[in-house]
Amino acid sequence: RYGSTVAVHDASVTVAAGELASLLGPSGCGKTTLLRAIAGFEPVADGRIVLGGRVISEPRRSLAPERRRVGMVFQDFALFPHLNVERNVAFGLRGLDAAQRAARVGELLAMMGLSGSQAAMPHELSGGQQQRVALARALAPDPDILLLDEPFSSLDSELREELAAEVRALLLRQGTTAILVTHDQHEAFAMADRVTLMHAGRVVQTASPPELYRQPADEFVAGFIGQGAVVQLQVNAAGELDNGLGQWPGPKPESGVLRLLLRPEHVRHDPRSETRLTVTERRFCGAEYRYTLRLADSQELVGLASGDIEIEPGGQLPVRVDLQQAVILGPVNGQH
């Protein structure tokens, strides 16, 4: 809580040893607050946080951050500007003599592809190099868990994807348990084995990236993850969908109404199809065009066509709608 504001509630998350997990969600959903509570920077008003069988936070007892064996990588790197790379990485190495500290720093910098940069100052490094130093510093004391708070957000998109893949490979090799906080689903999917999606301080769904994409728990998850459109369709007695979308392949819902999530890959150009939808917008995406398509009742879908299929807005695009892959968001025969 922050005063009378409850920032995180009904949030239960389990991360297995050696697992790479992610807290994903829009700004203000509580993911960074939850990460800071794990690190010991925020007290918990209720519930508890357990790390490796030790209770490290509960309402009237909180283990100090430096005693938790938790490593933290911050959004702005938080390197000490007056210390060189070697001294930054060695900062948390207590109880080691000079030779042991130097050996550990050398090992970590080699692991990060920064051998020979011990004497460099932070301002002499690129953003990607600074992030690698911050990661080496967090890993130096061999923490039980590594927390990463939007660690790639200040980097350009190409470097962000490249570094995310490098960091994942590194953490897997080390067997490090880690939690990544991000608002970027591509980053979460690239890094994490399991993703916990948060909204308004609550956990909405925890699943693997493919499951989160293919089996969203509700309409918020469907809208936040990936792209696509949620449409409401009528099913007649013969099982035919309105808007000319064909035969529904599943059982007819008792209400006669379906709410479906259709991803762009479920709506593809097919010159042989009798289903023709009006183009309202066309976006070039390299090998493909992404079309926004209007149904007869003015609802819209998003569909894909190869880069050589150019239909101007107002024209008709013949499409095949893969209803087998559609995600049902409304009840079918009383079930979800």
Side-chain angles (χ1 to χ4, degrees):
R1 299 174 187 269
Y2 298 116
S4 60
T5 301
V6 181
V8 177
H9 53 122
D10 266 2
S12 182
V13 181
T14 300
V15 180
E19 184 176 37
L20 304 184
S22 177
L23 298 176
L24 172 67
S27 296
C29 72
K31 57 189 186 294
T32 292
T33 296
L34 186 53
L35 199 77
R36 288 175 60 82
I38 297 168
F41 303 148
E42 302 290 348
V44 297
D46 196 7
R48 62 181 189 159
I49 300 172
V50 181
L51 176 60
R54 297 180 300 148
V55 177
I56 58 174
S57 279
E58 53 190 352
R60 286 167 297 280
R61 188 174 70 89
S62 183
L63 200 62
E66 65 272 16
R67 297 180 57 207
R68 293 188 175 212
R69 294 190 52 77
V70 170
M72 187 92 177
V73 179
F74 297 93
Q75 184 174 352
D76 59 357
F77 314 147
L79 297 177
F80 300 112
H82 61 291
L83 299 182
N84 64 19
V85 166
E86 181 175 25
R87 292 175 68 195
N88 260 287
V89 176
F91 184 79
L93 292 174
R94 299 179 179 87
L96 299 181
D97 62 32
Q100 290 173 320
R101 278 199 305 274
R104 178 63 173 156
V105 170
E107 174 192 354
L108 285 160
L109 292 180
M111 195 187 302
M112 299 294 166
L114 292 171
S115 293
S117 63
Q118 283 90 333
M121 300 301 289
H123 71 270
E124 298 174 326
L125 304 175
S126 68
Q129 289 172 325
Q130 288 184 46
Q131 189 58 284
R132 289 181 175 92
V133 174
L135 185 59
R137 183 181 62 184
L139 289 172
D142 194 22
D144 289 340
I145 191 167
L146 180 67
L147 307 179
L148 303 109
D149 186 11
E150 302 267 10
F152 312 117
S153 61
S154 62
L155 307 176
D156 64 65
S157 58
E158 187 174 338
L159 179 58
R160 192 160 61 229
E161 290 184 19
E162 179 185 321
L163 196 53
E166 283 182 21
V167 170
R168 173 177 168 81
L170 170 70
L171 296 179
L172 287 174
R173 282 199 306 272
Q174 298 292 305
T176 303
T177 309
I179 301 177
L180 165 76
V181 156
T182 181
H183 65 276
D184 185 330
Q185 60 182 284
H186 301 294
E187 200 169 277
F189 284 11
M191 279 279 293
D193 304 312
R194 283 197 310 155
V195 176
T196 293
L197 183 60
M198 296 185 66
H199 178 53
R202 297 176 183 268
V203 168
V204 183
Q205 185 176 2
T206 298
S208 68
E211 185 182 352
L212 207 59
Y213 185 83
R214 295 171 187 153
Q215 300 170 41
D218 61 22
E219 211 156 311
F220 170 77
V221 182
F224 190 84
I225 299 296
Q227 293 182 318
V230 176
V231 291
Q232 186 161 299
L233 301 170
Q234 301 284 335
V235 187
N236 67 19
E240 297 168 335
L241 294 170
D242 63 349
N243 288 288
L245 293 186
Q247 190 81 19
W248 176 242
K252 179 179 176 295
E254 290 177 2
S255 65
V257 178
L258 281 169
R259 283 187 69 74
L260 299 179
L261 167 65
L262 286 165
R263 303 283 192 193
E265 62 267 27
H266 302 155
V267 184
R268 289 192 173 272
H269 171 252
D270 184 348
R272 297 163 298 182
S273 175
E274 295 181 5
T275 302
R276 294 177 176 268
L277 303 180
T278 301
V279 174
T280 62
E281 184 182 333
R282 184 184 69 186
R283 182 179 301 175
F284 184 64
C285 301
E288 294 180 313
Y289 274 111
R290 182 159 293 180
Y291 284 93
T292 302
L293 305 165
R294 189 171 62 239
L295 300 177
D297 62 5
S298 296
Q299 295 186 90
E300 291 186 331
L301 299 177
V302 180
L304 298 175
S306 65
D308 59 345
I309 304 299
E310 299 186 0
I311 307 294
E312 297 291 337
Q316 299 279 306
L317 183 73
V319 296
R320 173 177 43 82
V321 181
D322 188 353
L323 295 168
Q324 293 280 4
Q325 301 301 316
V327 179
I328 301 170
L329 297 173
V332 178
N333 292 338
Q335 297 182 345
H336 284 77

